[in-house]
Amino acid sequence: MFNALAGRRIAIVDPTAGVTRDRVSAPIELEEGFFELFDTGGIGNEDCDDLTDEIEGQINTAIKQASLILFVVDIRAGVAGLDELVSERLRSASKQ
């Protein structure tokens, strides 16, 4: 979805969870102007190379800098347990 909105391949896409580790961004132009779209590693995923703390740091930075957070789930798969965890984290971050 990030790459589709960006109009080019920026974020690495793979069926294996945990491929995205860094925070990546792309400027998106709309009729009203520009906004910057960010993609981060997944919340709640344990990194096999012991980079979980660094990934969490990138996630926290993106959340703090965001004016809007769009949380998307796959309706075909339904809401999973990890989706609930992400939802609660985003809700609590928005109250700070």
Side-chain angles (χ1 to χ4, degrees):
M1 183 171 163
F2 177 89
N3 289 339
L5 291 170
R8 63 188 197 278
R9 187 176 188 271
I10 299 170
I12 298 170
V13 178
D14 192 90
T16 305
V19 173
T20 302
R21 295 175 173 178
D22 289 326
R23 179 172 34 110
V24 295
S25 67
I28 308 295
E29 182 178 7
L30 297 175
E31 291 179 17
E32 300 82 20
F34 287 88
F35 68 92
E36 190 168 10
L37 181 66
F38 287 93
D39 184 30
T40 68
I43 293 175
N45 290 328
E46 291 295 319
D47 183 70
C48 63
D49 293 325
D50 201 26
L51 296 172
T52 302
D53 290 342
E54 288 81 0
I55 295 167
E56 284 293 319
Q58 292 294 327
I59 293 167
N60 288 333
T61 298
I63 290 171
K64 287 176 187 171
Q65 292 178 345
S67 299
L68 172 77
I69 297 174
L70 178 64
F71 176 46
V72 179
V73 297
D74 184 349
I75 194 167
R76 297 168 297 178
V79 177
L82 188 54
D83 296 334
E84 294 288 341
L85 172 75
V86 171
S87 172
E88 288 303 316
R89 180 158 169 198
L90 295 175
R91 277 193 198 104
S92 67
S94 72
K95 295 176 185 175
Q96 297 178 0

